[in-house]
Amino acid sequence: MTYDLSQTRGWRCRPDVLRGALPVIDLFACAMLVAVFWSYLQSARALPPPMNKIDPGPGGFPYMLAIAALLALGAVALSAVIRLTDKAPVEWVSIRRPLWVALTMVLLTLQSIYLEALGALPTVLALSVGIMIACGERRIAHLAGVPLALAAFIYGVFVLALQVNLP
């Protein structure tokens, strides 16, 4: 079932489409991401300090990444508030297949959770197929080839080239 939303205005929440005002969706997404990156910042601050003044230490890069992400989210939130208070018409956006988008987000979260427990390559192989299906890929050659190529690339870069022991 398809809906023509080109002539309609306003909020829509249906299984095949989620439509809303862009600034409101931006603020909602910013709030969720601020919670995630605030937790990430707290975890980065708990890591040990650097051994010397030049080295950023184990928590240096995660700390800088969290600060940069929080600043960027603040800029997006400020932009959304300005767009909400502006007299210009509000821009409307549609998210097609919102349930599949939510499933993809869950699979990406599971991938980050199980990466260390199951190992990097098995996790990437297993969950990338699910992510591709949730994103709409149905071609068997792609569903088989892309995860294998991705795992080979990760193995080549991290294990062979950089000599990093993957979990």
Side-chain angles (χ1 to χ4, degrees), residues 115 120-121 153-167:
L115 191 71
L121 297 178
F153 176 78
I154 290 170
Y155 183 80
V157 168
F158 288 99
V159 175
L160 299 178
L162 299 175
Q163 298 179 351
V164 172
N165 292 326
L166 294 176

Side-chain angles (χ1 to χ4, degrees), residues 21-27 30 75-91 93:
L22 181 59
V24 175
I25 291 174
D26 280 349
L27 286 173
C30 282
V76 171
L78 180 63
S79 170
V81 169
I82 290 171
R83 282 182 282 143
L84 275 175
T85 58
D86 193 8
K87 294 184 187 211
V90 173
E91 188 174 343
V93 295

Side-chain angles (χ1 to χ4, degrees), residues 39-106:
S39 171
Y40 185 74
L41 177 67
Q42 299 310 314
S43 297
R45 292 180 68 181
L47 292 171
M51 299 284 246
N52 58 46
K53 298 289 183 190
I54 298 171
D55 183 27
F61 179 72
Y63 182 80
M64 290 184 285
L65 179 66
I67 294 295
L70 289 170
L71 288 173
L73 287 168
V76 171
L78 180 63
S79 170
V81 169
I82 290 171
R83 282 182 282 143
L84 275 175
T85 58
D86 193 8
K87 294 184 187 211
V90 173
E91 188 174 343
W92 293 85
V93 295
S94 296
I95 299 172
R96 306 287 177 193
R97 302 173 7 133
L99 298 176
W100 288 102
V101 171
L103 177 62
T104 302
M105 291 174 10
V106 167

